[in-house]
Amino acid sequence: MTADLQKGRMGPRACLLGLLALFVAGKCSYSPEPDQQWTLPPGWVSLGRADPEEELSLTFALRQQNLERLSELVQAVSDPGSSRYGKYLTLEDVAELVRPSPLTLHTVQKWLLAAGARNCHSVTTQDFLTCWLSVRQAELLLSGAEFHHYMGGPAETHVVRSPRPYRLPKALASHVDFVGGLHRFPPTSTLRQRPEPQVPGTVGLHLGVTPSVIRERYNLTAQDVGSGTTNNSQACAQFLEQYFHESDLAEFMRLFGGNFAHQASVARVVGQQGRGRAGIEASLDVEYLMSAGANISTWVYSSPGRHESQEPFLQWLLLLSNESALPHVHTVSYGDDEDSLSSAYIQRVNTELMKAAARGLTLLFASGDSGAGCWSVLGRHRFRPSFPASSPYVTTVGGTSFQNPFRVTDEVVDYISGGGFSNVFPRPSYQEEAVAQYLSSSAHLPPSSYFNASGRAYPDVAALSDGYWVVSNHVPIPWVSGTSASTPVFGGLLSLINEHRILRGLPPLGFLNPRLYQQHGEGLFDVTRGCHESCLNEEVEGQGFCSGPGWDPVTGWGTPNFPALLKTLINP
């Protein structure tokens, strides 16, 4: 849908707003994101000021309505005890609920028209507006912004960003949440290739995690694959300027997919597929989502909306708000430190995740690969939670290792598994009992000053994250590790359960957490051994939280025992 911003005579209101767009100093302006951190990520360099006539694509997040009602509906459609359980909203239902007020739509459109914005496109929910402006126009529109070119990352990505904060006319304070495309840089992969463990002899041992090892550990049989007869589908989303190659997927399935039915090609790519070298993380996501969720139609969101001034994660959220028919399960390995993001941005993204939950989408996010994390606040160390892992509307996946790295044994904590307590979001009611139990019974809690015990606690579940084989650029690569591996594995298994539900005429699982916590992790292997990493100081000595019986902030409720998990989630 194209916003009606045709040039023509401007009435008095449009003229006034046009002047406000230019005169935004002092009392006449406000900062939507005063707490947004701006630091140049390691490995990035400035290439100088952008040309004033260069074109930018900026995204304006418009203020939504009825968010309390949306939250109530998410609870109702996700709670097995509710009469509305599984009766998900359509995209059109969500749009009707959250669509900005006519005043907001009119005010923002007139403001952008006065600034010379072009080719403005909205989404079905009308709460995002993406427009093209020249650098000169954008710097006049967004007082204080100063656009520069930057280059960095493994792929030497080019982006346009502003190192300075921006301000908007006060007349827009009740209409615009934030403007995307100014500050946030593309994420970098935290995936690691660990050295191969050394043990004498290899008789009866496996030499790294493959689909066969996954299927053995989580008790899948050759029959546990998609039927190919439903409209069931799954997706992974990638924002790292990395791409997968279909030839790598085919080679991976040739090497490792011989004992189960599978699909050897992706059904749909949304976004742009680069022609350069494949990325290990992109290859991993696709190969393990399609081997765990075997024989199920798979989509890949590949750095959608790639323009130098756009944020790929934000563009993915826009796509979710603009497509009526989407895959039921989405796995995402993206994350940022909570403290690096503005309050306006983090709250709005959380609302977008809530919109997805209302529609019955299962969103799984990797918990991160830095354990509890660590940062210093006024000279004092604290743990550092990750977002969107800390959102109360996603299912967050932690990581485990085999107790014996060469045998299919019980699992223990993978020390990199992200987990902890949000400093932004309060603990949701669905996890109140489980978290309170952990906090009252754990014998190894860190000092209370290191974490917000009343915050949303994560992860919710876990899977193996250590020692994977990946095929990338035609080469089999061993010992790849990270929660970027555990997340597509868990997502693929949920897709298999959705297959059974759909064949029985039941709705897909949707937002899983209320059901998961009500059932106390039934159908999962409880991981009770190990701790993850944190601050390297004398007080905690690098140790964060430790696992224990039941839920814990390292491995959640545990890892999947597929037949038991299917049994507990197949019921209406």
Side-chain angles (χ1 to χ4, degrees), residues 308-330:
E308 289 183 356
S309 59
Q310 290 179 330
E311 302 173 31
F313 179 64
L314 187 57
Q315 296 305 307
W316 175 72
L317 292 174
L318 266 65
L319 286 171
L320 295 189
S321 281
N322 212 31
E323 291 213 30
S324 296
L326 290 168
H328 301 307
V329 173
H330 297 252

Side-chain angles (χ1 to χ4, degrees), residues 405-428:
F406 288 100
R407 294 189 186 278
V408 180
T409 58
D410 289 345
E411 292 161 74
V412 296
V413 168
D414 186 347
Y415 68 91
I416 57 97
S417 179
F421 295 77
S422 173
N423 290 320
V424 175
F425 302 105
R427 185 190 306 164

Side-chain angles (χ1 to χ4, degrees), residues 116-151:
R118 298 173 299 285
N119 298 327
C120 289
H121 292 270
S122 188
V123 292
T124 301
T125 47
Q126 293 184 256
D127 46 5
F128 285 107
L129 198 56
T130 299
C131 296
W132 289 89
L133 302 97
S134 70
V135 167
R136 187 193 313 276
Q137 290 168 328
E139 290 181 350
L140 284 171
L141 186 73
L142 309 170
S143 175
E146 186 181 277
F147 290 94
H148 292 245
H149 278 278
Y150 297 92
M151 182 181 73

